[in-house]
Amino acid sequence: MIQTKFTFIKRNLCYTFLFILTVASLFPFFILLVNSTRSHAQIQKGFSAFFGSFFFENLRNLVSNPNTPIVRALFNSVFVSFMSALLTTYFSAMTAYGIYMYNFKGKNTAFKVILAIMMIPTQVSSLGFIQLLIKVGMYDSLLALFIPAIASPVVFFYMYQAMTASLSYSIVEAARIDGCPEFRIFNTIVIPLMKPAIAVQAIFAFVGSWNNYFIPALVINSKMKKTIPILIAQLRSADYQKFDMGQVYMFICLAIIPLVIVYLFLSRYIIRGVSVGAVKE
């Protein structure tokens, strides 16, 4: 009886703690939605838990602002983030497959070199990266924001670990015996088996590219090629006389919609991706 009562109390405490964490996690989104419906003067007065009546006015002011081509910026961010997620997951999986499935001279060295690159911060190589972009003619181009995503050591390491846990050598060997080309094996057998891991990394890659401000701010100069983080930073650093917090919150509110959509479509793969490897050959 005492043990049952203790278990009941423990379970209720766990549920209460999880409820508090959920509320704490959702509270910033609630404040974002509330402030997107308030005017600049109302936001300056402080916190409010009640929605305002300036939602459509903030939206109209944001869309009509000549300094913030929001529609073009949304398209640029969606395009760059989608291409980054596609390229980084596909080519990282291909690299991991090559190192995992093949035995060749220098295999361990190549693996260690790729892992060593993970330790190099982006800021350290930014100057050389910009010089390279200028030489190849990709400076001030959207290509410079997603082509480098082909080489992603972090995603490669995750995909390699997922393959060691879930990809069986026997399946690949059976396909080779049947005469299936290597490229077809990778696309028709390996990719479907790695779908949970690929989906998880695709979410992370999309979100990372969507929120990336450092590289686009260095590379992009043209007004119509700027992405969402750059325009949000421009709004926040605008002249004090023209600064409008209502537009900023509205812009941020619109900016998270694609992230929510991507998460809703791919979230079911997160648990499968985390638990992949529970059964190993």
Side-chain angles (χ1 to χ4, degrees):
M1 182 67 180
I2 297 178
Q3 184 176 3
T4 304
K5 186 177 181 180
F6 176 77
T7 303
F8 176 77
I9 296 175
K10 183 179 179 181
R11 183 172 64 250
N12 288 339
L13 288 176
C14 290
Y15 287 152
T16 303
F17 180 70
L18 292 175
F19 176 78
I20 294 174
L21 286 181
T22 302
V23 173
S25 300
L26 296 178
F27 186 73
F29 294 96
F30 174 74
I31 296 300
L32 175 63
L33 292 175
V34 170
N35 287 340
S36 66
T37 64
R38 303 170 68 200
S39 65
H40 177 72
Q42 291 175 341
I43 295 175
Q44 284 187 318
K45 292 180 180 179
F47 169 76
S48 175
F50 300 98
F51 289 92
S53 58
F54 289 85
F55 180 85
F56 292 103
E57 183 175 344
N58 290 335
L59 181 61
R60 183 172 60 254
N61 293 337
L62 179 63
V63 174
S64 61
N65 191 337
N67 296 321
T68 57
I70 178 175
V71 177
R72 183 65 185 184
L74 283 171
F75 172 79
N76 293 340
S77 290
V78 170
F79 176 71
V80 170
S81 299
F82 174 79
M83 293 301 299
S84 296
L86 178 65
L87 294 177
T88 191
T89 52
Y90 183 80
F91 285 97
S92 295
M94 183 179 292
T95 305
Y97 173 77
I99 293 183
Y100 173 67
M101 289 300 302
Y102 294 95
N103 292 319
F104 54 90
K105 186 176 181 180
K107 173 180 177 178
N108 294 331
T109 302
F111 182 78
K112 293 178 181 178
V113 169
I114 295 176
L115 295 186
I117 297 176
M118 293 171 53
M119 308 301 172
I120 302 177
T122 304
Q123 292 79 359
V124 173
S125 59
S126 58
L127 179 60
F129 177 66
I130 294 176
Q131 292 176 346
L132 177 62
L133 293 179
I134 295 175
K135 290 181 180 180
V136 299
M138 291 176 57
Y139 187 76
D140 195 23
S141 172
L142 293 179
L143 293 175
L145 302 183
F146 61 84
I147 292 297
I150 292 176
S152 179
V154 176
V155 180
F156 156 79
F157 179 72
Y158 180 87
M159 297 303 300
Y160 182 85
Q161 294 298 109
M163 286 184 181
T164 57
S166 61
L167 182 60
S168 174
Y169 280 98
S170 59
I171 296 177
V172 177
E173 290 296 333
R176 289 172 177 172
I177 293 174
D178 291 338
C180 187
E182 289 294 325
F183 196 70
R184 185 177 179 183
I185 292 175
F186 176 75
N187 287 300
T188 60
I189 298 177
V190 177
I191 291 296
L193 289 175
M194 301 301 300
K195 189 182 296 184
I198 291 176
V200 171
Q201 290 306 305
I203 293 175
F204 294 154
F206 189 94
V207 174
S209 179
W210 184 271
N211 295 329
N212 188 14
Y213 170 78
F214 180 71
I215 295 298
L218 293 177
V219 173
I220 302 299
N221 293 323
S222 301
K223 179 180 178 180
M224 300 305 292
K225 294 180 181 179
K226 293 182 178 180
T227 56
I228 293 294
I230 299 178
L231 291 188
I232 292 177
Q234 287 182 354
L235 276 178
R236 295 187 61 184
S237 61
D239 182 52
Y240 179 77
Q241 299 295 331
K242 300 179 180 179
F243 183 66
D244 188 352
M245 285 294 294
Q247 290 189 39
V248 174
Y249 278 103
M250 175 58 66
F251 203 168
I252 298 175
C253 185
L254 294 177
I256 66 174
I257 293 177
L259 299 180
V260 174
I261 294 175
V262 170
Y263 177 80
L264 291 178
F265 272 101
L266 299 178
S267 60
R268 66 181 184 272
Y269 292 108
I270 291 182
I271 297 177
R272 292 173 58 187
V274 172
S275 62
V276 68
V279 179
K280 185 177 180 180
E281 182 186 21

